[in-house]
Amino acid sequence: MKKALFIINPHSGKGLIKNHLLGIVDILVKNGCEVTVYPTQGRGDASRAMRERDRSYELVVCSGGDGTLDEIVTGMMQSGFKTTIGYIPAGSTNDFANSLRLSSSMSTAAEAVVSGTVFPCDVGRFNEDIFVYIAAFGLFTEVSYGTRQEMKNMLGHMAYILEGVKHLQNIKSYHMKVTNVSETGETTVIEDEFIYGMITNSYSVGGFKSIAGNVFKGKIALNDGLFEVTLIKMPKNPMELNSILAALAIQNIDTEYMYSFKSSRLLIESKEEVAWTLDGEFGGKHKEVTLINEKQAMDIMVKE
């Protein structure tokens, strides 16, 4: 029997895991797993459980949203040793699960955990923190951690749009110096006023689905050691703002107002503290951040 630790967030999404728990455990046991179930008790508990896990576990399965997966990966990176991860998405958006093409059916996702294949996936490092698929600042970033869970459950992506509209009247820009190290090791510097930025390793990000995919013309790989970076410049007038919002609405990038490039390492410096979000959760306020792509640092089960 393969020892498996099953960490669940009982409050993610609509709490659906409560109705599927026995069926998922049954699938794992039928496929040769000796399962220990651990329900998280609050924020940060999944990271702690993963950080303190016994090395005898050959598989760690988690069920929750992308924030729960973030905690699992963070705990693994902090522990200093790697364990294969299985992910059964149960959140309100599941952006990263969509990028991995994991099924929204919990039983089907569980089958992939035990009968799929191991995918070596990149992980992002943000100063001393870890993120799985996105680090972002500026316009709309407060929406993810500022939207009540109940609203996310009821309205899904509409909740992000409704909350985002509230911030349009008070657009704030940040003067930043961005030093980028490319795939070839070439260093370039950008200095400008930005209202939004996202550093991603994903095909889907909240209300901005497929934007990175459109910009990079489908040339996105989750295991290439590279982030996709999108930075939106401060509009000079309402017409420019309308052009930017229109581009976002049709999931496209207007290069006149935006920078888009790939990066293995970034240094972002600002004159004032900037609030960041990591995988949809508050990531603190910083004047200087270093983002490093840890190539193929996570082994995760996907459909074969």
Side-chain angles (χ1 to χ4, degrees):
M1 299 287 282
K2 177 188 292 187
K3 286 192 68 176
L5 175 61
F6 186 17
I7 299 175
I8 65 171
N9 181 346
H11 304 295
S12 280
K14 299 177 181 178
L16 293 177
I17 185 62
K18 298 172 185 177
N19 298 326
H20 296 269
L21 180 58
L22 183 58
I24 293 170
V25 171
D26 188 56
I27 290 171
L28 297 176
V29 171
K30 279 183 167 62
N31 285 272
C33 293
E34 179 186 328
V35 184
T36 300
V37 179
Y38 181 81
T40 60
Q41 302 301 300
R43 186 173 180 178
D45 197 33
S47 288
R48 181 204 56 77
M50 191 67 174
R51 187 169 54 249
E52 297 174 359
R53 74 195 186 285
D54 193 277
R55 284 178 178 261
S56 63
Y57 287 112
E58 300 172 67
L59 176 68
V60 175
V61 185
C62 69
S63 183
D66 291 331
T68 303
L69 179 64
D70 175 286
E71 286 200 29
I72 294 294
V73 178
T74 296
M76 183 188 73
M77 298 291 283
Q78 291 172 343
S79 73
F81 64 97
K82 186 186 292 188
T83 303
T84 300
I85 294 171
Y87 182 29
I88 300 173
S92 53
T93 55
N94 303 315
D95 281 320
F96 194 65
N98 292 333
S99 291
L100 292 172
R101 297 185 177 90
L102 298 180
S103 175
S104 58
S105 162
M106 300 184 84
S107 59
T108 303
E111 292 284 357
V113 168
V114 290
S115 62
T117 186
V118 175
F119 176 69
C121 188
D122 298 344
V123 171
R125 192 175 291 279
F126 178 94
N127 288 349
E128 300 302 317
D129 291 321
I130 298 296
F131 66 98
V132 175
Y133 74 101
I134 182 172
F137 69 86
L139 186 67
F140 292 124
T141 55
E142 293 182 8
V143 176
S144 290
Y145 55 82
T147 307
R148 291 181 296 111
Q149 186 64 52
E150 293 82 1
M151 183 176 279
K152 289 182 184 179
N153 293 347
M154 290 188 296
L155 301 176
H157 286 298
M158 183 59 68
Y160 290 83
I161 295 170
L162 293 175
E163 285 290 322
V165 169
K166 296 179 182 177
H167 299 275
L168 288 179
Q169 302 301 319
N170 300 298
I171 295 177
K172 182 173 177 57
S173 66
Y174 304 93
H175 187 90
M176 291 179 160
K177 179 182 177 183
V178 181
T179 304
N180 168 47
V181 179
S182 69
E183 183 179 13
T184 59
E186 180 183 358
T187 300
T188 56
V189 178
I190 298 170
E191 193 162 355
D192 214 325
E193 293 279 335
F194 300 108
I195 61 171
Y196 177 75
M198 63 180 181
I199 296 86
T200 63
N201 188 48
S202 176
Y203 302 117
S204 169
V205 180
F208 306 117
K209 278 193 171 185
S210 302
I211 285 181
N214 289 345
V215 175
F216 297 101
K217 303 187 186 307
K219 296 179 181 178
I220 296 177
L222 306 183
N223 61 350
D224 62 356
L226 295 171
F227 296 123
E228 283 70 44
V229 182
T230 301
L231 302 170
I232 301 179
K233 293 186 280 187
M234 178 67 181
K236 297 181 178 64
N237 53 60
M239 288 187 65
E240 286 192 1
L241 174 60
N242 288 337
S243 296
I244 291 170
L245 295 176
L248 295 176
I250 62 174
Q251 301 177 353
N252 197 9
I253 289 292
D254 189 329
T255 53
E256 183 179 353
Y257 307 116
M258 308 177 195
Y259 295 96
S260 297
F261 53 90
K262 289 178 177 283
S263 177
S264 62
R265 183 186 181 101
L266 282 171
L267 170 63
I268 301 180
E269 301 166 279
S270 55
K271 294 182 178 180
E272 61 181 302
E273 287 192 331
V274 178
W276 285 79
T277 175
L278 305 177
D279 294 336
E281 301 293 334
F282 183 56
K285 293 183 177 182
H286 310 271
K287 286 186 177 181
E288 182 177 311
V289 295
T290 299
L291 299 103
I292 302 171
N293 188 301
E294 299 280 1
K295 186 176 182 180
Q296 301 181 10
M298 165 178 59
D299 288 339
I300 190 164
M301 298 299 297
V302 297
K303 188 175 180 180
E304 196 164 357

